Amino acid sequence: MNNEQERHVLGLSGGRDSAALAVYMRQHHPELDIEYFFTDTGKELPEVYEFLGRLEGFLGKTIHKLNPDRDFDFWLKQYKNYLPSPQSRWCTRQLKLRPFEQWIRPSIEDDCMVYSYVAIRSDEEYREGYRSKKDRLKIVLPFKDNGIDKPGVIDILEASGLGLPRYYEWRSRSGCTFCFFQQKIEWVRLKERHPEAFEEARSYEKDAVANGSPFTWSQGESLDDLTKPERIKQIKEDHSKRIQRVKAKWQQNPLRESEHEPDIDTIYGESKGCLACHK
């Protein structure tokens, strides 16, 4: 390679924003040969894989699967069976960012300029998903630069015919089934919709606690306690009250059907989750 060569990459999480960015770049910058990639932890929701398959068909290009060379179980042992948490996001470092680094490193070492497109919206504060000491990697924020907000992202997906990933019916983010950024209502819904994934998460938690982990998946509450019948009833009632409070204050736009029901982020506030996982 020489100094004039460039590489354009766009990471997909299986989430709404990164998918909309892929659609946007295909429609507005067809001259760019963008490489789309997905770092697969092996613990994703089945709806994520289904949506990525449809997106791949729309883009007309293969989405590169960057599988980490060592899986979640390997890294869990390396971290002494301590669960990842908002305070220690080793899952993102080892299962998302590390495979990305390995994928682009040969290009950077060969003096290629790598442009990484990230789906930070205009209505979000900029949170850097990947920070590199290499000056051959440039982060590009098309939505931020062009004033595209959350309703704009939804419009892009609806106009393309893709719509939202199906898990948005009950959950606010993609990523691992046991993502610790889930709200308690999302854990309840995971148990109802994907009981086998919930039981796997509960098994990991029990082993972690037995090995001295200070963290549970849902901070301050084990999954055993969270899913007791009386607790589930309380969580659902609290969620319903939150919806009613949001609706009472919400000025709906009749031109946007998607705004007729508040989503998880609207009810509980935008997540501070990892960009590599749920954008």
Side-chain angles (χ1 to χ4, degrees):
M1 289 185 179
N2 57 56
N3 289 338
E4 295 182 356
Q5 286 194 287
E6 300 177 350
R7 189 176 177 188
H8 300 264
V9 301
L10 195 160
L12 298 163
S13 67
R16 174 186 60 208
D17 293 357
S18 60
L21 182 58
V23 172
Y24 178 87
M25 294 303 293
R26 179 183 181 274
Q27 293 174 336
H28 290 82
H29 295 281
E31 76 282 1
L32 296 178
D33 183 19
I34 297 178
E35 299 174 73
Y36 303 96
F37 69 92
F38 171 66
T39 45
D40 189 353
T41 66
K43 303 295 183 179
E44 318 286 338
L45 293 166
E47 293 97 322
V48 168
Y49 298 114
E50 184 270 338
F51 183 69
L52 287 173
R54 292 196 289 117
L55 179 59
E56 193 171 53
F58 177 88
L59 296 172
K61 295 185 71 172
T62 298
I63 297 173
H64 300 284
K65 308 298 193 298
L66 307 187
N67 293 306
D69 53 354
R70 291 165 176 161
D71 63 11
F72 178 84
D73 294 326
F74 171 86
W75 289 110
L76 184 62
K77 291 179 181 177
Q78 296 301 303
Y79 285 88
K80 300 180 180 180
N81 283 307
Y82 280 26
L83 297 178
S85 70
Q87 295 78 29
S88 178
R89 304 181 191 185
W90 60 255
C91 50
T92 302
R93 290 196 302 274
Q94 304 297 355
L95 296 173
K96 292 288 185 177
L97 298 182
R98 186 169 171 270
F100 173 67
E101 288 177 343
Q102 293 175 335
W103 187 52
I104 65 169
R105 183 178 297 136
S107 297
I108 290 176
E109 290 177 347
D110 210 4
D111 253 359
C112 177
M113 190 70 189
V114 178
Y115 295 88
S116 178
Y117 298 85
V118 179
I120 301 293
R121 305 188 310 262
S122 64
D123 55 346
E124 292 180 298
E125 292 183 6
Y126 175 43
R127 294 175 288 127
E128 197 166 24
Y130 178 79
R131 185 173 299 167
S132 174
K133 297 178 181 177
K134 304 288 186 181
D135 60 4
R136 306 301 296 173
L137 175 64
K138 180 177 175 55
I139 306 298
V140 186
L141 309 174
F143 285 167
K144 195 81 169 174
D145 295 339
N146 292 282
I148 297 175
D149 57 7
K150 181 178 175 180
V153 160
I154 295 173
D155 285 347
I156 288 171
L157 290 177
E158 290 181 345
S160 73
L162 287 168
L164 296 176
R166 286 191 298 113
Y167 63 79
Y168 277 102
E169 297 171 1
W170 61 277
R171 179 170 158 151
S172 62
R173 60 190 50 81
S174 55
C176 292
T177 55
F178 41 67
C179 178
F180 44 78
F181 281 111
Q182 292 181 91
Q183 299 293 337
K184 295 183 186 297
I185 188 65
E186 294 175 288
W187 281 109
V188 170
R189 290 170 174 175
L190 177 67
K191 177 177 172 61
E192 293 172 345
R193 293 181 178 244
H194 298 290
E196 69 293 339
F198 181 88
E199 290 306 319
E200 181 181 46
R202 177 149 52 183
S203 176
Y204 280 129
E205 184 180 76
K206 286 182 177 180
D207 288 345
V209 171
N211 281 276
S213 173
F215 307 118
T216 51
W217 288 124
S218 181
Q219 298 305 301
E221 186 172 27
S222 71
L223 295 186
D224 279 346
D225 289 338
L226 188 149
T227 53
K228 290 178 179 177
E230 64 274 14
R231 181 64 176 126
I232 289 178
K233 181 174 182 292
Q234 182 183 26
I235 290 170
K236 288 184 174 181
E237 288 176 351
D238 176 69
H239 182 67
S240 295
K241 290 176 183 177
R242 285 175 177 266
I243 291 176
Q244 294 309 312
R245 286 198 295 269
V246 169
K247 285 185 173 181
K249 298 177 181 178
W250 202 9
Q251 293 184 350
Q252 295 183 8
N253 183 344
L255 299 179
R256 296 185 186 276
E257 293 184 6
S258 58
E259 289 187 351
H260 289 174
E261 287 295 329
D263 60 18
I264 293 289
D265 283 341
T266 301
I267 297 166
Y268 293 91
E270 288 279 356
S271 166
K272 301 299 182 183
C274 308
L275 297 185
C277 293
H278 90 273
K279 287 299 291 180

